[in-house]
Amino acid sequence: RRTPRRRPPWIVRRTLQQKTIITMRAFIFALMLGVASAFVASPMRATRSVTMSAEAEGSRREFMVKAAGFAAAAVAAAPAADALVDYPGLPYLGGGDKIDVNNANIRAYLRLPGMYPSIAGKITSQKTPFKSVGDIYQIKSLTDAEKSIIKKYEGQGKFLVMEPAAEYVIDRTNNGLYR
């Protein structure tokens, strides 16, 4: 009975993901080598002809500049992403006079003295959305002094309730500062 022949150490079985990564690395290396070679003077060109300009007509550098220009034009002409640019509640996320209690982050309450950080933290840490401004008073951890501060600003019309938007609710407490 014969034993199976061992593979030489340079022959390795690779997964599809490993093969893809190797192929990508080889492509990037070849691309970088091609770009770098465009800036190296060719010894054969120097012996064949003498030109007074810095580069011969039709040189690799000229080709690479044109290719980069076409690539930049292709990127600039790419279609725009369908992102939500004009969110109607944007002025109420902290940049205006009113604050949306469902979507504004904790730092929006900085402009209201007495609200930041304790009351604002209690409002923004709620998991369920508010249906009205009066729902804020149902937060169990609010003291009577904190409720009176909220009442003062509610009387001034500083709060409003909008439908929660996932893009803004996710960073209500964190504000994206500590990712």
Side-chain angles (χ1 to χ4, degrees):
R1 186 172 162 166
R2 287 178 45 180
T3 58
R5 201 170 85 146
R6 295 191 68 193
R7 294 175 189 241
W10 60 86
I11 297 177
V12 180
R13 280 195 183 159
R14 293 192 168 91
T15 64
L16 181 63
Q17 183 179 11
Q18 289 172 331
K19 289 177 184 177
T20 305
I21 291 171
I22 291 170
T23 305
M24 286 175 31
R25 286 182 179 169
F27 176 75
I28 291 170
F29 177 74
L31 185 66
M32 290 174 44
L33 186 65
V35 170
S37 69
F39 296 100
V40 176
S42 173
M44 292 183 70
R45 182 179 294 146
T47 58
R48 277 195 221 152
S49 65
V50 176
T51 58
M52 298 304 285
S53 65
E55 285 290 326
E57 202 171 316
S59 68
R60 284 184 274 177
R61 182 178 296 174
E62 186 178 324
F63 171 75
M64 292 305 287
V65 168
K66 286 181 183 177
F70 286 128
V75 169
D82 294 329
L84 182 61
V85 176
D86 295 327
Y87 172 64
L90 195 62
Y92 311 117
L93 295 177
D97 292 338
K98 296 183 180 186
I99 296 175
D100 176 13
V101 293
N102 279 333
N103 294 309
N105 63 51
I106 193 167
R107 296 179 59 84
Y109 295 91
L110 276 169
R111 61 180 62 229
L112 304 177
M115 291 288 292
Y116 183 84
S118 60
I119 302 172
K122 292 175 184 178
I123 292 172
T124 58
S125 64
Q126 296 302 304
K127 302 294 182 200
T128 57
F130 299 107
K131 295 190 183 4
S132 69
V133 177
D135 289 350
I136 296 174
Y137 298 108
Q138 303 302 321
I139 300 173
K140 293 183 173 117
S141 59
L142 285 176
T143 64
D144 290 335
E146 292 172 335
K147 287 180 182 180
S148 67
I149 293 171
I150 294 171
K151 187 84 167 161
K152 176 178 84 171
Y153 290 121
E154 182 186 7
Q156 296 174 5
K158 296 287 185 182
F159 302 122
L160 70 112
V161 176
M162 296 184 76
E163 195 65 31
E167 321 63 301
Y168 300 106
V169 171
I170 194 168
D171 281 336
R172 283 178 55 191
T173 304
N174 178 346
N175 193 20
L177 297 174
Y178 305 108
R179 282 193 179 186

